mmCIF file of all heavy atoms in Angstrom:
data_model
loop_
_atom_site.group_PDB
_atom_site.id
_atom_site.type_symbol
_atom_site.label_atom_id
_atom_site.label_comp_id
_atom_site.label_asym_id
_atom_site.label_seq_id
_atom_site.Cartn_x
_atom_site.Cartn_y
_atom_site.Cartn_z
ATOM 1 N N THR A 1098 28.462 -5.685 -23.415
ATOM 2 C CA THR A 1098 29.427 -4.691 -23.899
ATOM 3 C C THR A 1098 28.642 -3.546 -24.537
ATOM 4 O O THR A 1098 27.822 -3.775 -25.428
ATOM 5 C CB THR A 1098 30.394 -5.308 -24.927
ATOM 6 O OG1 THR A 1098 31.138 -6.342 -24.277
ATOM 7 C CG2 THR A 1098 31.362 -4.268 -25.467
ATOM 8 N N VAL A 1099 28.895 -2.345 -24.032
ATOM 9 C CA VAL A 1099 28.177 -1.179 -24.557
ATOM 10 C C VAL A 1099 29.031 -0.536 -25.648
ATOM 11 O O VAL A 1099 30.160 -0.112 -25.391
ATOM 12 C CB VAL A 1099 27.897 -0.144 -23.444
ATOM 13 C CG1 VAL A 1099 26.926 0.921 -23.939
ATOM 14 C CG2 VAL A 1099 27.359 -0.813 -22.194
ATOM 15 N N LEU A 1100 28.490 -0.490 -26.848
ATOM 16 C CA LEU A 1100 29.198 0.148 -27.965
ATOM 17 C C LEU A 1100 28.689 1.584 -28.066
ATOM 18 O O LEU A 1100 27.493 1.813 -28.269
ATOM 19 C CB LEU A 1100 28.913 -0.603 -29.269
ATOM 20 C CG LEU A 1100 29.265 -2.100 -29.270
ATOM 21 C CD1 LEU A 1100 28.784 -2.745 -30.564
ATOM 22 C CD2 LEU A 1100 30.776 -2.309 -29.100
ATOM 23 N N ILE A 1101 29.596 2.531 -27.897
ATOM 24 C CA ILE A 1101 29.182 3.939 -27.892
ATOM 25 C C ILE A 1101 29.164 4.442 -29.339
ATOM 26 O O ILE A 1101 30.215 4.701 -29.921
ATOM 27 C CB ILE A 1101 30.157 4.796 -27.056
ATOM 28 C CG1 ILE A 1101 30.580 4.071 -25.785
ATOM 29 C CG2 ILE A 1101 29.589 6.181 -26.809
ATOM 30 C CD1 ILE A 1101 29.807 4.228 -24.588
ATOM 31 N N ASN A 1178 25.075 4.121 -37.918
ATOM 32 C CA ASN A 1178 26.026 3.140 -37.373
ATOM 33 C C ASN A 1178 25.355 2.119 -36.450
ATOM 34 O O ASN A 1178 25.846 1.005 -36.291
ATOM 35 C CB ASN A 1178 27.171 3.853 -36.638
ATOM 36 C CG ASN A 1178 28.172 4.453 -37.629
ATOM 37 O OD1 ASN A 1178 28.071 4.216 -38.844
ATOM 38 N ND2 ASN A 1178 29.129 5.210 -37.125
ATOM 39 N N ILE A 1182 25.857 -1.891 -37.121
ATOM 40 C CA ILE A 1182 26.256 -2.854 -36.078
ATOM 41 C C ILE A 1182 25.220 -3.980 -35.965
ATOM 42 O O ILE A 1182 25.579 -5.165 -35.903
ATOM 43 C CB ILE A 1182 26.474 -2.132 -34.718
ATOM 44 C CG1 ILE A 1182 27.683 -1.200 -34.820
ATOM 45 C CG2 ILE A 1182 26.659 -3.148 -33.584
ATOM 46 C CD1 ILE A 1182 27.887 -0.268 -33.638
ATOM 47 N N LEU A 1185 25.707 -6.452 -38.650
ATOM 48 C CA LEU A 1185 26.924 -7.263 -38.459
ATOM 49 C C LEU A 1185 26.747 -8.281 -37.330
ATOM 50 O O LEU A 1185 27.281 -9.390 -37.396
ATOM 51 C CB LEU A 1185 28.127 -6.355 -38.190
ATOM 52 C CG LEU A 1185 28.614 -5.616 -39.443
ATOM 53 C CD1 LEU A 1185 29.598 -4.507 -39.080
ATOM 54 C CD2 LEU A 1185 29.269 -6.598 -40.434
ATOM 55 N N GLN A 1220 35.251 -10.201 -28.224
ATOM 56 C CA GLN A 1220 36.186 -9.063 -28.176
ATOM 57 C C GLN A 1220 36.908 -8.917 -29.515
ATOM 58 O O GLN A 1220 37.087 -7.806 -30.023
ATOM 59 C CB GLN A 1220 37.212 -9.241 -27.047
ATOM 60 C CG GLN A 1220 36.617 -9.186 -25.649
ATOM 61 C CD GLN A 1220 35.962 -7.853 -25.328
ATOM 62 O OE1 GLN A 1220 36.563 -6.799 -25.480
ATOM 63 N NE2 GLN A 1220 34.704 -7.892 -24.913
ATOM 64 N N LEU A 1221 37.283 -10.051 -30.107
ATOM 65 C CA LEU A 1221 37.958 -9.996 -31.416
ATOM 66 C C LEU A 1221 37.011 -9.453 -32.479
ATOM 67 O O LEU A 1221 37.385 -8.625 -33.309
ATOM 68 C CB LEU A 1221 38.431 -11.401 -31.829
ATOM 69 C CG LEU A 1221 39.600 -11.971 -31.038
ATOM 70 C CD1 LEU A 1221 39.907 -13.400 -31.492
ATOM 71 C CD2 LEU A 1221 40.840 -11.081 -31.203
ATOM 72 N N PHE A 1222 35.763 -9.926 -32.427
ATOM 73 C CA PHE A 1222 34.743 -9.460 -33.378
ATOM 74 C C PHE A 1222 34.532 -7.940 -33.246
ATOM 75 O O PHE A 1222 34.496 -7.208 -34.243
ATOM 76 C CB PHE A 1222 33.440 -10.249 -33.105
ATOM 77 C CG PHE A 1222 32.208 -9.703 -33.750
ATOM 78 C CD1 PHE A 1222 32.150 -9.442 -35.120
ATOM 79 C CD2 PHE A 1222 31.057 -9.476 -32.987
ATOM 80 C CE1 PHE A 1222 30.975 -8.940 -35.712
ATOM 81 C CE2 PHE A 1222 29.899 -8.985 -33.573
ATOM 82 C CZ PHE A 1222 29.865 -8.712 -34.931
ATOM 83 N N ILE A 1223 34.450 -7.474 -32.007
ATOM 84 C CA ILE A 1223 34.245 -6.030 -31.785
ATOM 85 C C ILE A 1223 35.413 -5.263 -32.402
ATOM 86 O O ILE A 1223 35.212 -4.303 -33.164
ATOM 87 C CB ILE A 1223 34.127 -5.722 -30.267
ATOM 88 C CG1 ILE A 1223 32.828 -6.307 -29.695
ATOM 89 C CG2 ILE A 1223 34.197 -4.212 -30.006
ATOM 90 C CD1 ILE A 1223 32.710 -6.259 -28.187
ATOM 91 N N LYS A 1224 36.633 -5.729 -32.083
ATOM 92 C CA LYS A 1224 37.805 -4.965 -32.532
ATOM 93 C C LYS A 1224 37.952 -4.993 -34.049
ATOM 94 O O LYS A 1224 38.291 -4.002 -34.677
ATOM 95 C CB LYS A 1224 39.063 -5.470 -31.828
ATOM 96 C CG LYS A 1224 39.073 -4.922 -30.410
ATOM 97 C CD LYS A 1224 40.141 -5.472 -29.518
ATOM 98 C CE LYS A 1224 39.787 -5.079 -28.079
ATOM 99 N NZ LYS A 1224 40.244 -6.001 -27.089
ATOM 100 N N SER A 1225 37.656 -6.154 -34.647
ATOM 101 C CA SER A 1225 37.879 -6.232 -36.096
ATOM 102 C C SER A 1225 36.727 -5.613 -36.904
ATOM 103 O O SER A 1225 36.957 -5.018 -37.947
ATOM 104 C CB SER A 1225 38.102 -7.688 -36.517
ATOM 105 O OG SER A 1225 36.923 -8.418 -36.249
ATOM 106 N N ASP A 1226 35.496 -5.733 -36.423
ATOM 107 C CA ASP A 1226 34.356 -5.342 -37.280
ATOM 108 C C ASP A 1226 33.509 -4.176 -36.765
ATOM 109 O O ASP A 1226 32.859 -3.502 -37.566
ATOM 110 C CB ASP A 1226 33.399 -6.538 -37.459
ATOM 111 C CG ASP A 1226 34.023 -7.657 -38.264
ATOM 112 O OD1 ASP A 1226 35.264 -7.799 -38.210
ATOM 113 O OD2 ASP A 1226 33.277 -8.390 -38.936
ATOM 114 N N LEU A 1227 33.455 -3.998 -35.443
ATOM 115 C CA LEU A 1227 32.446 -3.055 -34.929
ATOM 116 C C LEU A 1227 33.015 -1.712 -34.481
ATOM 117 O O LEU A 1227 32.315 -0.704 -34.534
ATOM 118 C CB LEU A 1227 31.672 -3.691 -33.756
ATOM 119 C CG LEU A 1227 30.998 -5.040 -34.041
ATOM 120 C CD1 LEU A 1227 30.232 -5.526 -32.814
ATOM 121 C CD2 LEU A 1227 30.051 -4.946 -35.241
ATOM 122 N N LEU A 1228 34.296 -1.723 -34.059
ATOM 123 C CA LEU A 1228 34.863 -0.490 -33.494
ATOM 124 C C LEU A 1228 34.773 0.693 -34.432
ATOM 125 O O LEU A 1228 34.590 1.825 -34.011
ATOM 126 C CB LEU A 1228 36.327 -0.708 -33.116
ATOM 127 C CG LEU A 1228 36.605 -1.176 -31.703
ATOM 128 C CD1 LEU A 1228 38.047 -0.914 -31.332
ATOM 129 C CD2 LEU A 1228 35.669 -0.481 -30.720
ATOM 130 N N LYS A 1229 34.866 0.412 -35.731
ATOM 131 C CA LYS A 1229 34.845 1.538 -36.681
ATOM 132 C C LYS A 1229 33.496 2.266 -36.694
ATOM 133 O O LYS A 1229 33.402 3.388 -37.179
ATOM 134 C CB LYS A 1229 35.240 1.090 -38.093
ATOM 135 C CG LYS A 1229 34.508 -0.085 -38.653
ATOM 136 C CD LYS A 1229 35.041 -0.385 -40.056
ATOM 137 C CE LYS A 1229 34.617 -1.715 -40.622
ATOM 138 N NZ LYS A 1229 35.228 -2.874 -39.954
ATOM 139 N N PHE A 1230 32.482 1.634 -36.126
ATOM 140 C CA PHE A 1230 31.169 2.291 -36.072
ATOM 141 C C PHE A 1230 30.914 2.972 -34.727
ATOM 142 O O PHE A 1230 29.831 3.489 -34.477
ATOM 143 C CB PHE A 1230 30.056 1.272 -36.366
ATOM 144 C CG PHE A 1230 30.189 0.663 -37.729
ATOM 145 C CD1 PHE A 1230 30.525 -0.673 -37.882
ATOM 146 C CD2 PHE A 1230 30.011 1.443 -38.866
ATOM 147 C CE1 PHE A 1230 30.669 -1.229 -39.143
ATOM 148 C CE2 PHE A 1230 30.160 0.898 -40.134
ATOM 149 C CZ PHE A 1230 30.490 -0.438 -40.274
ATOM 150 N N CYS A 1231 31.924 2.900 -33.835
ATOM 151 C CA CYS A 1231 31.756 3.511 -32.503
ATOM 152 C C CYS A 1231 32.404 4.890 -32.485
ATOM 153 O O CYS A 1231 33.443 5.097 -33.121
ATOM 154 C CB CYS A 1231 32.421 2.659 -31.423
ATOM 155 S SG CYS A 1231 31.707 1.034 -31.276
ATOM 156 N N HIS A 1232 31.823 5.771 -31.698
ATOM 157 C CA HIS A 1232 32.374 7.113 -31.550
ATOM 158 C C HIS A 1232 33.772 7.016 -30.923
ATOM 159 O O HIS A 1232 33.908 6.500 -29.799
ATOM 160 C CB HIS A 1232 31.436 7.925 -30.658
ATOM 161 C CG HIS A 1232 31.949 9.280 -30.317
ATOM 162 N ND1 HIS A 1232 31.846 10.350 -31.171
ATOM 163 C CD2 HIS A 1232 32.591 9.732 -29.214
ATOM 164 C CE1 HIS A 1232 32.395 11.402 -30.609
ATOM 165 N NE2 HIS A 1232 32.855 11.057 -29.423
ATOM 166 N N LEU A 1233 34.774 7.469 -31.643
ATOM 167 C CA LEU A 1233 36.177 7.401 -31.205
ATOM 168 C C LEU A 1233 36.575 5.987 -30.745
ATOM 169 O O LEU A 1233 37.397 5.816 -29.841
ATOM 170 C CB LEU A 1233 36.450 8.404 -30.069
ATOM 171 C CG LEU A 1233 36.155 9.877 -30.367
ATOM 172 C CD1 LEU A 1233 36.336 10.733 -29.115
ATOM 173 C CD2 LEU A 1233 37.077 10.406 -31.477
ATOM 174 N N GLY A 1234 35.946 5.004 -31.315
ATOM 175 C CA GLY A 1234 36.274 3.614 -30.985
ATOM 176 C C GLY A 1234 35.956 3.218 -29.552
ATOM 177 O O GLY A 1234 36.545 2.291 -28.997
ATOM 178 N N GLU A 1235 35.008 3.937 -28.940
ATOM 179 C CA GLU A 1235 34.749 3.691 -27.502
ATOM 180 C C GLU A 1235 33.757 2.574 -27.247
ATOM 181 O O GLU A 1235 32.710 2.497 -27.902
ATOM 182 C CB GLU A 1235 34.164 4.955 -26.874
ATOM 183 C CG GLU A 1235 35.174 5.800 -26.154
ATOM 184 C CD GLU A 1235 34.501 6.938 -25.414
ATOM 185 O OE1 GLU A 1235 33.932 6.697 -24.350
ATOM 186 O OE2 GLU A 1235 34.552 8.072 -25.933
ATOM 187 N N PHE A 1236 34.076 1.736 -26.277
ATOM 188 C CA PHE A 1236 33.115 0.739 -25.797
ATOM 189 C C PHE A 1236 33.435 0.406 -24.348
ATOM 190 O O PHE A 1236 34.526 0.691 -23.855
ATOM 191 C CB PHE A 1236 33.124 -0.510 -26.690
ATOM 192 C CG PHE A 1236 34.383 -1.329 -26.623
ATOM 193 C CD1 PHE A 1236 34.437 -2.487 -25.866
ATOM 194 C CD2 PHE A 1236 35.520 -0.952 -27.340
ATOM 195 C CE1 PHE A 1236 35.595 -3.244 -25.806
ATOM 196 C CE2 PHE A 1236 36.681 -1.704 -27.286
ATOM 197 C CZ PHE A 1236 36.721 -2.860 -26.518
ATOM 198 N N ILE A 1237 32.454 -0.169 -23.653
ATOM 199 C CA ILE A 1237 32.638 -0.501 -22.226
ATOM 200 C C ILE A 1237 32.249 -1.959 -22.020
ATOM 201 O O ILE A 1237 31.130 -2.362 -22.359
ATOM 202 C CB ILE A 1237 31.725 0.372 -21.332
ATOM 203 C CG1 ILE A 1237 32.048 1.852 -21.517
ATOM 204 C CG2 ILE A 1237 31.833 -0.024 -19.865
ATOM 205 C CD1 ILE A 1237 31.061 2.793 -20.860
#
Side-chain angles (χ1 to χ4, degrees):
T1098 298
V1099 191
L1100 303 173
I1101 319 271
N1178 284 353
I1182 293 171
L1185 286 168
Q1220 293 298 308
L1221 289 176
F1222 166 53
I1223 292 171
K1224 283 172 194 150
S1225 64
D1226 293 29
L1227 305 182
L1228 269 199
K1229 51 180 167 290
F1230 299 111
C1231 298
H1232 174 81
L1233 302 174
E1235 262 187 77
F1236 68 101
I1237 300 170

